[in-house]
């Protein structure tokens, strides 16, 4: 977003710069719930659903399309209204942009290998139900290929991967397995069922509003989106089962509600995006 803004000659903190930043964040940070591979939080939800309510990559995408299309469409319209750029403000020329592109040169060996691995991973993830190879197995093989071809060398593998975060995420996923094994999910279902089920069966629209408001309040104090979804999935799945609603629906609703940035620290993607832009720009890129 920053480099495109600079290439077009847009000033810092201008409508154009802000519009580009929001377009970037809307399509990455807010669209995460629609693609399983876009965030580890989706795998936490998948783990909580278990084999009984397993959802494939393609099923997940298709089911989330109404929300995704509406989110991106409304976001696009708002960007056009609030951050519209006059054509006269753009100083870049096609010749200058083509010259920058030519200066990049051809793709490097590592870039080619990474691209092929990524494309193959996406194809295998989407078609998992057809060939039966789990997403985890595909990911492990892909990581091995990147290591063997030295795209990711030993030093990078040891020092540049946030192993503490991976351990934390592993624990979060394990919670979704441990709770059913200890019958905690059934206990939660018995406690919450009398409150949630009437709302789910009689007035789903009121339930959506109430659930979203509860999520907004809890997220003020509970910063980790991963931990939040691990706990909320265990809380909602028994109620959804009793109300004869697929648990994925309630988990998806909760994730879209918790994926906010009303306060800057609430979203795991928002702060890095802002700080990365500021660091690269050497000043505030957006307000």
């Amino acid at each position: 977003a920053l480099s495109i803004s600079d290439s077009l000659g847009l000033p810092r903190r201008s409508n154009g710069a802000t519009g580009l930043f929001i377009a970037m964040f809307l399509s990455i940070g807010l669209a995460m719930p629609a693609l399983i591979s876009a965030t580890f939080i989706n795998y936490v939800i998948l783990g909580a659903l278990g084999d009984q309510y397993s959802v494939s990559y393609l099923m997940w995408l298709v089911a989330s399309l109404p929300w995704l299309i509406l989110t991106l469409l409304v976001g696009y319209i708002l960007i056009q209204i609030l951050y519209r750029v006059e054509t006269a403000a753009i100083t870049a020329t096609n010749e200058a942009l083509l010259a920058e592109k030519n200066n990049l040169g051809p793709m490097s060996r590592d870039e080619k290998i990474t691209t092929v691995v990524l494309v193959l991973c996406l194809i295998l993830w989407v078609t998992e139900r057809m060939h039966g190879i789990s997403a985890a197995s595909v990911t492990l093989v892909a990581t091995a290929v990147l290591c063997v071809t030295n795209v990711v060398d030993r030093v990078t593998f040891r020092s540049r991967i946030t192993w503490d975060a991976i351990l934390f995420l592993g624990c979060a996923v394990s919670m979704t397995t441990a709770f059913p094994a200890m019958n905690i999910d059934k206990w939660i279902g018995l406690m919450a069922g009398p409150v949630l089920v009437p709302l789910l069966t009689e007035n789903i629209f009121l339930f959506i509003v109430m659930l979203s408001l509860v999520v907004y309040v809890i997220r003020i104090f509970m910063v980790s989106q991963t931990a939040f979804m691990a706990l909320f999935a265990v809380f909602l799945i028994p109620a959804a089962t009793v109300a004869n609603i697929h648990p994925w629906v309630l988990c998806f609703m909760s994730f879209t509600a918790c994926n906010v940035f009303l306060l800057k620290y609430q979203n795991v993607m928002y702060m890095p995006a802002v700080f990365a832009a500021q660091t690269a720009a050497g000043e505030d890129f957006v307000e």
Side-chain angles (χ1 to χ4, degrees), residues 3 18 59 69 71 92 95 135 174 191 193 224:
S3 60
T18 305
M59 289 168 59
I69 292 171
T71 300
E95 290 75 15
S174 297
M191 297 293 291
S224 172

Side-chain angles (χ1 to χ4, degrees), residues 2-193:
L2 173 66
S3 60
I4 293 172
S5 177
D6 287 348
S7 297
L8 297 176
L10 301 175
R12 301 280 195 265
R13 297 166 67 93
S14 65
N15 274 357
T18 305
L20 284 170
F21 180 86
I22 293 176
M24 173 277 302
F25 188 75
L26 184 70
S27 57
I28 297 175
L30 291 189
M32 288 193 303
L35 290 165
I36 291 181
S37 58
T39 170
F40 194 85
I41 298 171
N42 287 334
Y43 288 102
V44 171
I45 296 173
L46 203 60
L49 293 174
D51 294 335
Q52 185 179 359
Y53 299 106
S54 180
V55 180
S56 70
Y57 195 104
L58 200 56
M59 289 168 59
W60 187 302
L61 175 60
V62 171
S64 64
L65 276 180
W67 171 85
L68 179 64
I69 292 171
L70 183 63
T71 300
L72 295 180
L73 181 62
V74 172
Y76 175 78
I77 293 171
L78 288 175
I79 290 172
Q80 289 292 331
I81 294 172
L82 299 173
Y83 304 108
R84 192 168 186 83
V85 180
E86 297 298 330
T87 307
I90 299 175
T91 60
T93 63
N94 285 338
E95 290 75 15
L97 296 176
L98 286 172
E100 286 191 28
K101 178 185 174 184
N102 292 331
N103 288 336
L104 291 174
M107 291 178 68
S108 67
R109 167 191 172 273
D110 288 357
E111 289 170 340
K112 290 176 181 177
I113 293 173
T114 304
T115 302
V116 172
V117 169
L118 176 61
V119 170
L120 289 175
C121 279
L122 286 172
I123 293 172
L124 290 171
W125 287 338
V126 172
T127 57
E128 181 179 346
R129 284 288 174 94
M130 296 171 61
H131 52 69
I133 305 173
S134 70
S137 299
V138 172
T139 307
L140 286 172
V141 172
T143 305
V145 170
L146 294 178
C147 291
V148 169
T149 55
N150 212 37
V151 174
V152 178
D153 58 29
R154 177 183 287 186
V155 175
T156 301
F157 189 79
R158 286 181 172 179
S159 61
R160 299 294 293 276
I161 295 176
T162 52
W163 293 107
D164 54 341
I166 290 175
L167 286 171
F168 166 73
L169 295 172
C171 292
V173 172
S174 297
M175 287 171 59
T176 62
T177 305
F179 279 23
M182 299 167 66
N183 291 324
I184 294 177
D185 58 331
K186 293 180 181 178
W187 178 80
I188 293 175
L190 289 172
M191 297 293 291

